[in-house]
Amino acid sequence: MNNYKLLPALISILRTLNLTESAKQLNVTQSAMSKTLNQLREDFHDKIIIREANKFILTKKGERLKAQLPILMQQLDNLYAPESIKLNQCKRKFTLASSDYVAQAILPSIFFHIEKEAPNVSIEYKLWYKNNLNKLAGQDLDLVATIADSIPDNLYGKLMAEDQLVVVFRHNHPKSDSELTINDYINSRHILISGGGDKDSFVDHTLAMMDLHRNILVTVPFFQSAIELLIKTDAMLTIPLHIAADFAQNYDLKIRYLPIDIQPQQYYLLWHAKYHQDPEHKWFREICFPLIKAHLERTIRHGMKLIHTRK
């Protein structure tokens, strides 16, 4: 049989054993219902129902169809129905990628909210490198929190915040009580952070166009290690304002405007199109997005208060 649209009529006929009643139920003429029955008999190579005196009775094939069809039709309907999730039974492992800062500052809050709703869900966190953005389809990642200039094809994304790069150094640095010039900047030694997308690459590209370069003291993979080095040296660290403001709550740091013109950076939460309609994934990203966005906005506001203070 290849005309599945006739199946509802067949179910009605099997249930009522009355063409007139089935025609009323389906709002068609009795003649049309008779034609439908003839087509069904041809498709199934069976009479399905036969007249016995003043009533119809089912053939053996008809009895089997009456038992099986409602179940099969329900299964077909379920394929079209929106998927629902039972969070208390969900055992999925979600993979989130970003910088080590997000793992330190925001991941605990994300997991706190997830554990309350879905105690069997787990998270794998991976360090993200922005050069992988166009390769996201081939990576086993559910969400990426990253800097991006635009959203590549086959990705979905939501803008979380826009932030600027700033210069950070310890409170008793030689430049702590004065404005920071570009000569001060290039004549100082710098700490670079290699993990999480190399957020300083914009700086070196701009300096190179001016035929200038920085002196690098040390390169480390993580923000925390960079801060620990910063407070023990006269080096400078160039990082996003929101991260500088967050660390300034626990370390005695000075925050200065970057003495070169760099465009603000846009922070996105991104995911591949293959996950967009997945209800479990939707639940996961709707937990992550507001938490990361709120943290960014809060620390950026705090940073704007600190950046205007010279002493």
Side-chain angles (χ1 to χ4, degrees), residues 5 25 39 42 82 104 126 154 170 201 246 272 282:
K5 293 181 180 179
Q25 288 183 358
Q39 182 64 55
E42 184 180 332
Q104 175 181 323
K126 293 185 177 181
N154 291 327
R170 63 180 183 174
S201 59
D246 197 21
H272 194 271
K282 184 173 184 289

Side-chain angles (χ1 to χ4, degrees), residues 74-91:
Q74 184 61 57
Q75 290 174 340
L76 286 172
D77 287 343
N78 290 341
L79 292 177
Y80 288 94
E83 292 186 58
S84 60
I85 57 173
K86 296 181 180 179
L87 293 176
N88 61 335
Q89 298 177 15
C90 182
K91 297 182 178 180

Side-chain angles (χ1 to χ4, degrees), residues 146-250:
T146 183
I147 296 168
D149 298 322
S150 61
I151 302 176
D153 292 340
N154 291 327
L155 296 188
Y156 284 86
K158 297 177 74 173
L159 178 65
M160 296 183 289
E162 188 174 83
D163 196 14
Q164 60 183 302
L165 290 172
V166 294
V167 185
V168 184
F169 40 79
R170 63 180 183 174
H171 73 284
N172 55 352
H173 188 278
K175 298 301 299 181
S176 61
D177 294 329
S178 60
E179 293 294 338
L180 183 66
T181 68
I182 189 169
N183 286 331
D184 296 328
Y185 187 73
I186 62 172
N187 289 327
S188 295
R189 303 195 73 185
H190 294 261
I191 299 170
L192 289 187
I193 301 172
S194 59
D198 185 17
K199 294 178 175 62
D200 295 347
S201 59
F202 302 102
V203 172
D204 293 313
H205 177 72
T206 302
L207 288 174
M209 294 177 63
M210 302 166 64
D211 200 26
L212 299 172
H213 68 277
R214 291 184 291 177
N215 295 314
I216 307 305
L217 173 65
V218 62
T219 300
V220 294
F222 306 122
F223 282 94
Q224 185 65 53
S225 55
I227 294 295
E228 297 294 341
L229 284 165
L230 192 71
I231 62 176
K232 294 179 174 65
T233 68
D234 283 337
M236 294 182 178
L237 178 63
T238 303
I239 55 176
L241 175 61
H242 71 274
I243 299 179
D246 197 21
F247 277 115
Q249 296 180 97
N250 299 310

